[in-house]
Amino acid sequence: VLPAPNPQIMLPDAAALQTAVALLQAGHCVAFPTETVYGLGVDATQDQAVAALYALKGRPSFNPLIIHVADVAQLEGLVVLSPLAQLAAQRFWPGALTLILPAAPTCPVALLARAGLPSVAVRIPDHPVALALLRAVGRPLAAPSANRSGGLSPTTPLHVAHSLGVGVPLILAGGKTVLGVESTILDLTTPQPVVRRYGGVSLEQLSAGLGQPVRYQASVADATPTAPGQLSSHYAPQKPVRLNVTTAQADEAFLLFGAELGLRGGAVRLNLSPTGDLYAAAANLFAMLHVLDATGCSAIAVAAIPPLGLGLAINDRLQRAAAPR
Ligand code: AMP
Ligand code: MG
């Protein structure tokens, strides 16, 4: 007995690509094959779309995402390409290598997709369907693996459908992925290039391709919320952060959520979402933290955020920001 056809899964013909582009432009997610694993893509320039992606994956935290582009020309205005980055691009793209690069001053990638960081992780995937989609949409796509958080990385369209269910409106089919492991992540924002995650391209291949030794060094304590000052891959405000505040001090900046009834004080007040919408709050989180951090206030006071859905990831990020340093 053949399994019932799944209307979410489409062969990547011209009509399917057109549907995918329309969905992405409207801020929805589209799953697509790459040579590593299936990716869950959204328009990386739309904060709300990125919030929807985190919600669909059920991620309990906001990790920065890998931004996919069709060609090096699409990186113009996105990142700063050093000569070493250009060499890596020439040797390894399209391919299973992600480069962490300084964001360009005009970088349109949503702060939520980079978790507030001044750097961006970018890659050109080596898969005809991924490249056709990226060219058709003409925008950078943020695309983590197309599975629920904690699940196995998907290597077939059915894996994606089973893991994400009806939440993903379209899965472009491209057979089984060739590599089945994620891309290697190479950090080029450090004085020496360092690999942050092992993946499809080996240390030996990198060393040979770049003409210099490349070593592995994990970013410090990504998982411990106790020491955000040490986290090389997470943004934390400079100012102290105080959580679950109902009355802010006169010299504090106050980050609010929902109706402001009973929330008093603060020299500067910004509301993540006056209507209590957690998607909007996630979309605004990093931009508002940056703004409040740049004020002359002594600290950032934050109102309580409900620990539900995207609120879990928001609270995770705020707890890291508030941990003693
Ligand atoms: P995923 O897209 O879920 O396969 O994983 C993305 C990986 O890239 C995570 O381990 C991130 O921490 C890492 N990453 C993405 N952007 C950056 C960045 N700007 N700085 C450091 N690490 C990053
Ligand atoms: Mg994954």
Side-chain angles (χ1 to χ4, degrees), residues 7 54 105 269:
Y54 280 110
R269 292 162 66 101

Side-chain angles (χ1 to χ4, degrees), residues 37 57 59 144-154 182 197:
V37 300
K57 275 190 66 88
R59 272 203 180 175
S145 54
N147 54 282
R148 293 271 311 168
S149 184
L152 287 178
S153 287
E182 271 94 354
R197 177 177 81 185

Side-chain angles (χ1 to χ4, degrees), residues 96-118:
L97 180 67
T98 294
L99 301 177
I100 301 177
L101 301 170
T106 54
C107 183
V109 173
L111 272 181
L112 186 58
R114 358 177 196 148
L117 295 172

Side-chain angles (χ1 to χ4, degrees), residues 59 63-66 100 114 117 119-121 143-145 182 185 197 222 232-233:
R59 272 203 180 175
N63 297 324
L65 303 171
I66 296 171
I100 301 177
R114 358 177 196 148
L117 295 172
S119 57
V120 190
S145 54
E182 271 94 354
I185 299 182
R197 177 177 81 185
D222 260 355
S232 45
S233 69

Side-chain angles (χ1 to χ4, degrees), residues 24 30 32 41-44 66-69 74 130 133-134 137 139-143:
L24 290 167
V30 170
F32 61 94
V42 287
D43 180 348
I66 296 171
I67 309 305
H68 295 65
V69 294
Q74 235 190 328
L133 178 65
L134 286 162
V137 72
R139 281 160 180 263
L141 297 181

Side-chain angles (χ1 to χ4, degrees), residues 58-62 148 278 282 285 305-320:
R59 272 203 180 175
S61 63
F62 295 128
R148 293 271 311 168
L278 287 167
L285 179 65
I305 315 284
L308 308 162
L310 276 178
L312 292 174
I314 296 173
N315 278 300
D316 170 78
R317 175 57 47 223
L318 289 170
Q319 272 149 20
R320 288 169 196 266

